[in-house]
Amino acid sequence: MHSSVIDRHLQSFVESCRRHGLKITPQRVAVYRALLESDQHPTADAMFQTVKLTYPHISFDTVNRTLLTFAEIGLVDVVEVFGGPKRFDPDTGDHHHLHCVACGRIIDFIHEGYNGLDVPDAIASKFKVISKRVVLKGLCDKCTGGRP
Amino acid sequence: MHSSVIDRHLQSFVESCRRHGLKITPQRVAVYRALLESDQHPTADAMFQTVKLTYPHISFDTVNRTLLTFAEIGLVDVVEVFGGPKRFDPDTGDHHHLHCVACGRIIDFIHEGYNGLDVPDAIASKFKVISKRVVLKGLCDKCTGGRP
DNA sequence: GTGATTGCAAACCTTTTGCACGCCA
DNA sequence: TGGCGTGCAAAAGGTTTGCAATCAC
């Protein structure tokens, strides 16, 4: 990611913290920077390992709590899992997930046909829908070994 | 659930076990019966509490392992969660989920428009899709207090 | 200054593993 | 009878909580 893009993200991060009355601490900045560069859907522990490289003194608890705080203010999403540790998604935009049941990878994809899914009236009248996502379970290319 | 319906389910349960070389033990039958009557998406512990009522001597481990075994042979689904313990779904048919972010309930719904979702070619050519589900996050009627 | 945040430690909960005994096929 | 399944116990892994010291504002 280009440094100018990072700067722009960092600026909106600062504004988001201000809006929610959160202090801008070096730990939070370090976690946020790591999120921007993260491989997809890291666990709290994976984030901890990454952040330690640039901020060796940080504790796991701080990383974990920071991620949960970021999730509360909408800076990251907590993604759906089928067991195991929580996983976080720095991409809060409209996209969908494929879960490989063999290796556990979660692969993002976007698809025109899935955007703006209509919510049935019976649901819309009773529930306030916050987010919509299509979740596919299957086997990824690495795990099928090319066999379809 | 009517007893005749239960009998029919039990019969297909027995066949399913036979097909997979699993023994028919009273514990497995008890767990399966409890599944048929279960409120939706119970955790292993919730199932344990229920099964104990009719089979007081059963251990938590057995209930848990039985549920995992059932999941492996497709008798139940493990449903997507956003953290916390695994949850099981006795309904393996085509349906979708609404997660209430306030109370944690997972509500099933069916919707014509979501059945037979097309899988984008870019995905279908690389991944073997096993299941498709729309996951909505939101607030249920109990948690909005009627306010939409 | 002061209240939020951090780091550390302990507790808690869920899941996993190992093993001896018992039971289904 | 043989081997799978069960129950018990211990361990592992992840998350949550409490608290004193520290830091951003």
Side-chain angles (χ1 to χ4, degrees):
Chain A
M1 198 178 283
H2 293 294
S3 60
S4 64
V5 176
I6 291 182
D7 287 346
R8 212 177 317 133
H9 278 272
L10 276 175
Q11 194 172 337
S12 74
F13 158 72
V14 169
E15 284 165 15
S16 195
C17 286
R18 292 249 166 78
R19 248 199 322 280
H20 291 89
L22 297 179
K23 292 179 177 172
I24 316 293
T25 66
Q27 288 91 336
R28 283 180 177 154
V29 173
V31 171
Y32 188 77
R33 294 190 81 103
L35 270 173
L36 292 180
E37 302 284 358
S38 75
D39 65 338
Q40 313 213 60
H41 322 299
T43 62
D45 189 64
M47 286 298 302
F48 175 51
Q49 302 302 333
T50 303
V51 175
K52 261 201 305 194
L53 299 177
T54 58
Y55 199 110
H57 222 72
I58 203 167
S59 75
F60 170 80
D61 301 68
T62 296
V63 173
N64 192 41
R65 266 178 307 199
T66 298
L67 289 168
L68 294 175
T69 303
F70 285 178
E72 270 175 28
I73 67 174
L75 227 41
V76 298
D77 276 343
V78 177
V79 307
E80 75 286 342
V81 290
F82 296 89
K86 280 200 185 75
R87 296 176 68 167
F88 300 88
D89 192 342
D91 178 2
T92 58
D94 200 353
H95 68 280
H96 306 278
H97 286 158
L98 179 103
H99 290 252
C100 178
V101 298
C103 67
R105 268 205 304 164
I106 304 175
I107 295 132
D108 287 341
F109 68 95
I110 56 176
H111 180 51
E112 287 281 325
Y114 290 172
N115 296 339
L117 287 170
D118 64 307
V119 177
D121 288 342
I123 299 291
S125 63
K126 284 185 175 178
F127 306 105
K128 180 175 169 50
V129 175
I130 296 171
S131 77
K132 302 178 277 188
R133 173 160 293 157
V134 176
V135 175
L136 306 180
K137 270 198 212 183
L139 291 166
C140 74
D141 48 357
K142 289 181 183 172
C143 291
T144 54
R147 275 168 272 115
Chain B
M1 198 177 284
H2 294 292
S3 61
S4 64
V5 177
I6 292 181
D7 287 346
R8 210 176 320 133
H9 279 271
L10 276 175
Q11 194 172 335
S12 74
F13 158 73
V14 169
E15 284 165 15
S16 195
C17 285
R18 292 248 166 78
R19 249 201 320 280
H20 292 88
L22 297 178
K23 293 179 178 173
I24 316 294
T25 66
Q27 289 92 334
R28 282 178 178 158
V29 174
V31 171
Y32 188 78
R33 294 189 82 102
L35 270 173
L36 292 180
E37 302 284 358
S38 76
D39 65 339
Q40 313 213 57
H41 322 299
T43 63
D45 189 63
M47 285 298 301
F48 175 51
Q49 301 303 332
T50 304
V51 175
K52 261 201 303 192
L53 300 176
T54 59
Y55 199 112
H57 223 73
I58 203 167
S59 74
F60 171 80
D61 301 68
T62 297
V63 174
N64 191 42
R65 265 178 306 197
T66 299
L67 289 169
L68 294 175
T69 303
F70 285 178
E72 269 175 28
I73 67 174
L75 227 40
V76 298
D77 277 343
V78 176
V79 307
E80 75 286 342
V81 290
F82 296 90
K86 280 199 185 77
R87 297 176 69 167
F88 299 88
D89 192 343
D91 178 1
T92 58
D94 200 354
H95 68 281
H96 306 279
H97 286 157
L98 180 102
H99 289 251
C100 177
V101 297
C103 68
R105 268 205 305 163
I106 304 176
I107 296 132
D108 286 342
F109 69 95
I110 56 175
H111 180 51
E112 287 281 325
Y114 292 172
N115 296 340
L117 286 171
D118 65 307
V119 177
D121 288 341
I123 299 291
S125 63
K126 285 185 174 178
F127 306 105
K128 180 173 167 51
V129 175
I130 296 172
S131 78
K132 301 178 278 187
R133 173 159 292 156
V134 176
V135 176
L136 306 179
K137 271 198 210 182
L139 291 165
C140 74
D141 48 357
K142 290 181 184 172
C143 291
T144 54
R147 274 167 275 114

